[in-house]
Amino acid sequence: VDTIVENRDPSTRAGCAAALGCIHSQVGGMAAGYHMKTIVGVLVSLCSDPHPVVHFWALDGLERVTSSAGLTFSAYASSTLGKLAQLYIADTHNEEAAALATSNIEIIFPTPLLIGRCVDSLINVLGPDLQDIAKTRNLILSMVRQFQLEESADMIMESSRCLDHLFLYAPTHVDFAGHVKRLETELRSKNRPMRDAAVRGLSNLMKRDAELVVQTASSAFEDDIWLTLDDDPENQSLKSMIRNWLQQTALTHTEL
């Protein structure tokens, strides 16, 4: 922390921010609780730094702290989410960065992706409480909708991951039909990681109610599943999804 405050070199500050996140992730939320306010304050401050290398690794450190702290981080969740929303729309934190000298670095270190991961970590911190805190929940939903509009496949996958967890904790506040149709579209993607993310998302939904998912999706959904299995027969998430589907519908839809 002293080095971050005293040393103005971007690489040094970025390295210290990354190290701070790694240290916290190894120590754990309870043991590091006494230092939580200082750690969060320093990392959030560095997240606002205009230099891409600094704010990228600061966000990485913040995501590690959020994930490892768990419920201990809940007191900082609302303020951190507000800061992430500000940074997401800031000119300095995207590929079209105002400073030409650092715009190429921003492409190498994609800040929006880290912001998406931080939002996902906050969703897991808040958990079922998201059903009651409307202001925070609505801000998260607004940010996730913006992630879905990004051209980056990684950002679209991150938005799907966020929606998976939102549906787990606050299912009544997520557009189920829209989420299923979006995952179905991603299932047809030629992008392998995006297709794998869609399989994981659909698998989680079908664990709860496979028949409802099939009814909500288009008539081509079943064919898409088998085509995906043909392309990747060793995909364990896909096998698990089909197994859950069979277990839930074998007795009621034997003819299928």
Side-chain angles (χ1 to χ4, degrees):
V1 171
D2 290 342
T3 302
I4 290 172
V5 173
E6 296 170 3
N7 196 316
R8 311 304 298 178
D9 177 63
S11 296
T12 302
R13 304 186 94 192
C16 288
L20 201 56
C22 290
I23 291 169
H24 189 283
S25 66
Q26 296 302 316
V27 172
M30 294 183 67
Y34 179 75
H35 305 283
M36 180 68 73
K37 185 175 181 180
T38 301
I39 292 171
V40 174
V42 168
L43 289 177
V44 169
S45 176
L46 289 180
C47 286
S48 302
D49 192 294
H51 196 285
V53 175
V54 176
H55 62 236
F56 178 88
W57 289 109
L59 284 164
D60 178 79
L62 185 63
E63 192 271 333
R64 290 175 185 272
V65 170
T66 306
S67 299
S68 57
L71 287 174
T72 312
F73 197 86
S74 57
Y76 307 94
S78 181
S79 59
T80 301
L81 183 64
K83 174 58 69 174
L84 291 173
Q86 291 176 12
L87 297 178
Y88 181 64
I89 61 174
D91 290 336
T92 54
H93 287 59
N94 56 59
E95 292 179 13
E96 293 80 24
L100 294 177
T102 59
S103 59
N104 288 337
I105 304 176
E106 188 68 54
I107 296 174
I108 300 171
F109 298 98
T111 304
L113 182 60
L114 263 297
I115 293 176
R117 290 178 183 172
C118 287
V119 170
D120 186 48
S121 295
L122 288 173
I123 292 171
N124 288 318
V125 166
L126 294 169
D129 289 343
L130 283 167
Q131 297 179 69
D132 303 318
I133 43 180
K135 186 176 180 181
T136 300
R137 184 184 65 243
N138 290 336
L139 179 55
I140 289 174
L141 287 169
S142 296
M143 292 185 71
V144 172
R145 279 193 289 269
Q146 290 301 313
F147 296 162
Q148 292 168 346
L149 299 176
E150 294 276 356
E151 295 181 0
S152 165
D154 290 332
M155 284 301 294
I156 295 173
M157 285 189 290
E158 202 58 51
S159 72
S160 294
R161 188 175 291 111
C162 290
L163 283 171
D164 286 344
H165 292 138
L166 280 168
F167 188 78
L168 177 65
Y169 299 125
T172 57
H173 299 283
V174 178
D175 178 9
F176 178 77
H179 185 38
V180 170
K181 286 179 168 56
R182 193 175 300 108
L183 290 173
E184 185 183 0
T185 301
E186 293 171 13
L187 186 65
R188 303 189 191 107
S189 173
K190 300 298 182 184
N191 184 303
R192 177 68 177 271
M194 182 181 289
R195 192 173 61 189
D196 289 345
V199 168
R200 285 194 297 272
L202 287 167
S203 179
N204 290 333
L205 292 179
M206 292 181 79
K207 284 178 184 177
R208 177 174 295 192
D209 194 335
E211 187 172 358
L212 179 60
V213 173
V214 174
Q215 290 174 350
T216 304
S218 71
S219 57
F221 178 60
E222 296 181 30
D223 291 337
D224 291 334
I225 291 177
W226 300 120
L227 288 171
T228 306
L229 184 64
D230 285 343
D231 289 340
D232 189 8
E234 299 303 320
N235 189 314
Q236 294 302 316
S237 295
L238 188 56
K239 288 182 177 180
S240 175
M241 178 172 70
I242 295 172
R243 194 176 297 114
N244 284 319
W245 183 17
L246 288 171
Q247 288 173 346
Q248 292 180 43
T249 60
L251 294 179
T252 56
H253 298 78
T254 309
E255 73 280 4
L256 301 177

